[in-house]
Amino acid sequence: MFVRYIERICIGLLIVLFLLLLLEIILRSMFSLSIKWSYEVARVIMIWDVFLGALLLNIKNDHISILLFDNKKFAFVKLIVERIVYLFISVFSIYFLLIIIPFNQVSPTTGLPQWINYLIIPLVFIISLLIRYKEGE
């Protein structure tokens, strides 16, 4: 059920991204106009869509570290690789929480705080951990 919502959000974000960029192209080529904030919004949408897609792959166990060692004789190696991947993601997420989010930078055209761009990274990590914890029960 949760996977369907994430999939719909990803699809919706891709549709919004496509329409925004299409509108930008049409306005530039036909009317010599530009939407000033389109690049920044497209970047935020892309970042969020990529990390939500990574969350989907993690939930479905379709990411490459799992597929490489899917054979039963590699079960121990698969477990070690999973632990290393989660350790790497943990360090990466903590880095973004401590370094990127506290800065009070804002986007020049939208005025949105820059931490919104990268908030998805620790959120995906926390959701992944909660899902893995629930599966382990």
Side-chain angles (χ1 to χ4, degrees), residues 46-64:
M46 189 66 177
I47 291 169
W48 278 68
D49 206 31
V50 164
F51 281 98
L52 287 173
L55 175 64
L56 282 174
L57 291 175
N58 192 13
I59 291 170
K60 294 178 178 182
N61 285 330
D62 278 344
H63 49 83
I64 192 162

Side-chain angles (χ1 to χ4, degrees), residues 21-115:
L21 295 177
L22 181 67
L23 180 64
E24 178 69 21
I25 291 168
I26 291 171
L27 287 175
R28 279 187 185 221
S29 63
M30 297 177 121
F31 303 107
S32 298
L33 297 173
S34 177
I35 304 172
K36 293 180 181 180
W37 47 264
S38 66
Y39 171 73
E40 289 182 17
V41 171
R43 183 181 59 188
V44 172
I45 290 172
M46 189 66 177
I47 291 169
W48 278 68
D49 206 31
V50 164
F51 281 98
L52 287 173
L55 175 64
L56 282 174
L57 291 175
N58 192 13
I59 291 170
K60 294 178 178 182
N61 285 330
D62 278 344
H63 49 83
I64 192 162
S65 65
I66 303 301
L67 294 176
L68 282 174
F69 303 107
D70 204 24
N71 196 334
K72 290 185 181 190
K73 61 184 169 182
F74 292 115
F76 183 70
V77 176
K78 179 180 175 181
L79 181 66
I80 291 173
V81 170
E82 281 180 353
R83 301 293 186 228
I84 292 171
V85 167
Y86 282 120
L87 178 65
F88 176 75
I89 293 171
S90 302
V91 170
F92 193 68
S93 296
I94 291 169
Y95 170 78
F96 269 90
L97 280 172
L98 297 176
I99 303 299
I100 301 296
I101 292 178
F103 290 121
N104 293 325
Q105 297 176 351
V106 293
S107 298
T109 56
T110 59
L112 290 173
Q114 285 291 346
W115 60 266

